[in-house]
Amino acid sequence: MIEDYKNFLKEILIDRVELQERIAELGAEISRDYAGKELLMVSILRGGVFFTVDLMKSVDIPHKVEFMAISSYGAGVRESTGDVRITFDLQTNIRGKHVLLVEDIIDSGHTLSSVIERLSAQHPASLEVCTLLDKASRREVEVPIKYCGFDIEDKFVFGYGLDIDDYFRGLPFIGVVDLEKYVPEE
Ligand code: IMP
Ligand code: MG
């Protein structure tokens, strides 16, 4: 069992209220931009789901949702590489749809850029990215971001979809891990 997160929570970076207020703003912006268009949100499992659900509640135009799961190989848990594999794919054809990719965080950019490459080949009418968090200083490959909740510094964060060794995704806030206090299980 993992220990209580309070043992290694350095600070709450974004609290529940700030998160929900920003998501409401993003939802309003997306509703305006996609009015009259066939909007399909593509949520990236598992981290992106929490954000996706709240975002959907604040988008007030008709839209659909699909899910994709991705795993990356070739490096430790905290580093992704270009070696990205789809482990759960879309269930419908996206040709002609206005696709909005919804992700929890963009770090090196490898995960999203490989998803974008793959989905572009299926000829959507448009393909844009909405990320809750952007750690731009860590970028290794360019990712075009249309909607971003918060720009953050290079800190390891958890909660609201983001995990530490697959735990704590359900927390309603984004917290910073104190890496001096957190000891991963072997
Ligand atoms: P990228 O391919 O390096 O952009 O990695 C993106 C993925 O890494 C995200 O979808 C997260 O699953 C994970 N990730 C990156 N930074 C963090 C973090 O600070 N906390 C938790 N997960 C993270
Ligand atoms: Mg993760």
Side-chain angles (χ1 to χ4, degrees):
M1 273 301 287
I2 197 163
E3 60 186 316
D4 191 324
Y5 73 85
K6 292 189 186 83
N7 295 344
F8 50 75
L9 173 68
K10 195 171 205 169
E11 56 168 325
I12 291 180
L13 190 64
I14 309 165
D15 68 23
R16 183 201 284 262
V17 173
E18 285 175 283
L19 275 174
Q20 296 305 326
E21 282 177 359
R22 183 68 187 121
I23 293 167
E25 287 174 5
L26 290 172
E29 212 180 317
I30 290 166
S31 305
R32 280 195 301 274
D33 294 352
Y34 287 89
K37 292 179 178 162
E38 189 69 31
L39 171 60
L40 174 67
M41 290 200 196
V42 172
S43 179
I44 309 297
L45 295 167
R46 285 159 281 182
V49 170
F50 301 76
F51 174 40
T52 304
V53 169
D54 283 336
L55 189 62
M56 287 176 72
K57 290 187 232 171
S58 41
V59 168
D60 62 5
I61 57 165
H63 61 282
K64 294 182 180 176
V65 67
E66 283 255 10
F67 300 92
M68 272 178 100
I70 289 107
S71 65
S72 42
Y73 287 102
V77 199
R78 303 268 143 72
E79 303 286 327
S80 78
T81 63
D83 196 6
V84 171
R85 198 171 60 116
I86 312 281
T87 56
F88 181 75
D89 211 344
L90 298 175
Q91 305 295 299
T92 55
N93 195 330
I94 60 165
R95 180 180 284 270
K97 302 268 170 63
H98 290 275
V99 174
L100 182 60
L101 278 167
V102 185
E103 176 63 308
D104 52 359
I105 188 166
I106 304 178
D107 190 51
S108 71
H110 287 298
T111 308
L112 245 297
S113 86
S114 84
V115 173
I116 289 170
E117 200 178 306
R118 195 186 161 97
L119 295 189
S120 306
Q122 299 173 28
H123 308 288
S126 67
L127 181 58
E128 303 287 358
V129 173
C130 177
T131 185
L132 180 64
L133 307 176
D134 181 12
K135 254 191 226 180
S137 66
R138 296 258 306 168
R139 203 73 88 252
E140 290 170 16
V141 290
E142 203 192 319
V143 176
I145 302 175
K146 177 100 184 261
Y147 307 96
C148 171
F150 302 88
D151 291 298
I152 66 164
E153 287 172 41
D154 181 13
K155 292 173 177 168
F156 199 80
V157 291
F158 69 109
Y160 199 70
L162 296 135
D163 68 297
I164 303 176
D165 297 338
D166 270 323
Y167 288 98
F168 307 121
R169 294 187 197 273
L171 295 173
F173 56 81
I174 305 280
V176 178
V177 182
D178 186 338
L179 290 170
E180 278 166 17
K181 294 194 180 143
Y182 177 63
V183 186
E185 292 173 317
E186 278 312 307

